[in-house]
C-alpha cells in the first residue's frame, strides 16, 4: 500500500454519480484507500448542495454509504435525505471533504440556470463546512438526450458558475477540463457508462492527489508542508 495519503481522512459526498456500483463510488474510494487514506463516502441521487445542510428527501432514486473500500452495496431505493454535513464532520473529523455535485443544479432543459440560486446553494454548503478543507469536483460532459436536456454549452456555463461560487473556500476541479469534449459515453445523457466512469474517476484522482497530499502533510501530526 502506498503511504502517499497515509493519515488523511477524506469524506466524499455526492449525487447519483457516486451512488451506484460501477460509478465513481467504485473508483474513487478504492484508489484513495490504496493510497493510504481513510475514506468515507455518502451519496444521495438528485441531491443539491443545500440538501446536505437542510436535509431534503429525494424521490427514492438511490442513496448509499461506503466505508473505505468495502464491497459496494446496492443503493437504498427508498426516499432518503442526505445526512447533514455538520454531523458527518463531527462524526468522522475529515481532513478534507470532496464534494461531487453539479448536474442536479444545472437546470438542464430549461432556458437558463439561475446564477443567484446556484450561488445560494453552493454557499450554503461551503459555509457549513466549518473551515474544513474542501475540493469541489464539478460535472463533466454528457450527451444530449430529451430525458435531461444536458448540452455542452450548459455544461460549460455551469462549470464557470460553480468555479466562481465554490472557490474559495474549495479548490474547484472542472470536469469539463479533465476530459475532452465528446469523450464521455452515457446511458441516458448524464450518467456515464462503466468505462467512462473509470476514465473520469482516474482523471479526478490525477487532478486531486497533489492537493490531498498537501492537506495530509498539513494535518495535525503530519510532516511539515513543503513550501
Amino acid at each position: 500500500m502506498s503511504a502517499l495519503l497515509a493519515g488523511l481522512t477524506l469524506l466524499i459526498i455526492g449525487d447519483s454519480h457516486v451512488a451506484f456500483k460501477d460509478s465513481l463510488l467504485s473508483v474513487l474510494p478504492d484508489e484513495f484507500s490504496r493510497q493510504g487514506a481513510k475514506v468515507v463516502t455518502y451519496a444521495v441521487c438528485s441531491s443539491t448542495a443545500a440538501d446536505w445542510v437542510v436535509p431534503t428527501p429525494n424521490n427514492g432514486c438511490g442513496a448509499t454509504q461506503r466505508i473505505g473500500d468495502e464491497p459496494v452495496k446496492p443503493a437504498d431505493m427508498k426516499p432518503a435525505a442526505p445526512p447533514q454535513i455538520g454531523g458527518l464532520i463531527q462524526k468522522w473529523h475529515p481532513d478534507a471533504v470532496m464534494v461531487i455535485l453539479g448536474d442536479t443544479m444545472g437546470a438542464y432543459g430549461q432556458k437558463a440556470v439561475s446564477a443567484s440560486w446556484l450561488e445560494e446553494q453552493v454557499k450554503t454548503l461551503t459555509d457549513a463546512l466549518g473551515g474544513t478543507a474542501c475540493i469541489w469536483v464539478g460535472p463533466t460532459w454528457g450527451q444530449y438526450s430529451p430525458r435531461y436536456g444536458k448540452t455542452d454549452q450548459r455544461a460549460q456555463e455551469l462549470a464557470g458558475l460553480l468555479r466562481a461560487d465554490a472557490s474559495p473556500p474549495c479548490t474547484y476541479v472542472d470536469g469539463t477540463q479533465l476530459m475532452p469534449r465528446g469523450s464521455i459515453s452515457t446511458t441516458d445523457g448524464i450518467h456515464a457508462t462503466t468505462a467512462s466512469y473509470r476514465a473520469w474517476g482516474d482523471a479526478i484522482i490525477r487532478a486531486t492527489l497533489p492537493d490531498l497530499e498537501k492537506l495530509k502533510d498539513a494535518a495535525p501530526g503530519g510532516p511539515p508542508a513543503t513550501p
Side-chain angles (χ1 to χ4, degrees), residues 27-45:
V27 182
L28 302 184
D30 284 356
E31 182 57 30
F32 290 135
S33 294
R34 276 194 290 268
Q35 298 288 351
K38 176 182 178 180
V39 185
V40 187
T41 307
Y42 293 84
V44 178
C45 84

Side-chain angles (χ1 to χ4, degrees), residues 32-174:
F32 290 135
S33 294
R34 276 194 290 268
Q35 298 288 351
K38 176 182 178 180
V39 185
V40 187
T41 307
Y42 293 84
V44 178
C45 84
S46 297
S47 59
T48 68
D51 291 341
W52 293 83
V53 181
V54 182
T56 303
N58 67 6
N59 58 7
C61 56
T64 195
Q65 172 185 339
R66 188 182 185 201
I67 307 299
D69 58 357
E70 68 182 12
V72 177
K73 303 180 182 71
D76 184 352
M77 303 307 289
K78 297 176 182 177
Q84 193 172 41
I85 187 64
L88 293 179
I89 290 172
Q90 280 191 323
K91 180 175 182 178
W92 298 107
H93 304 287
D95 300 296
V97 177
M98 182 174 289
V99 180
I100 304 176
L101 289 169
D103 272 331
T104 54
M105 300 180 289
Y108 301 141
Q110 299 180 28
K111 290 184 178 180
V113 56
S114 170
S116 59
W117 176 83
L118 184 66
E119 180 181 15
E120 182 181 8
Q121 285 282 322
V122 173
K123 297 301 185 185
T124 297
L125 178 54
T126 57
D127 287 350
L129 295 176
T132 305
C134 56
I135 297 174
W136 193 301
V137 180
T140 189
W141 307 104
Q143 295 172 317
Y144 179 78
S145 76
R147 179 176 179 181
Y148 291 111
K150 183 175 182 176
T151 64
D152 289 349
Q153 180 181 4
R154 180 58 59 82
Q156 288 181 303
E157 178 188 6
L158 180 62
L161 292 170
L162 286 172
R163 178 184 295 279
D165 294 337
S167 58
C170 299
T171 298
Y172 184 70
V173 177
D174 186 346

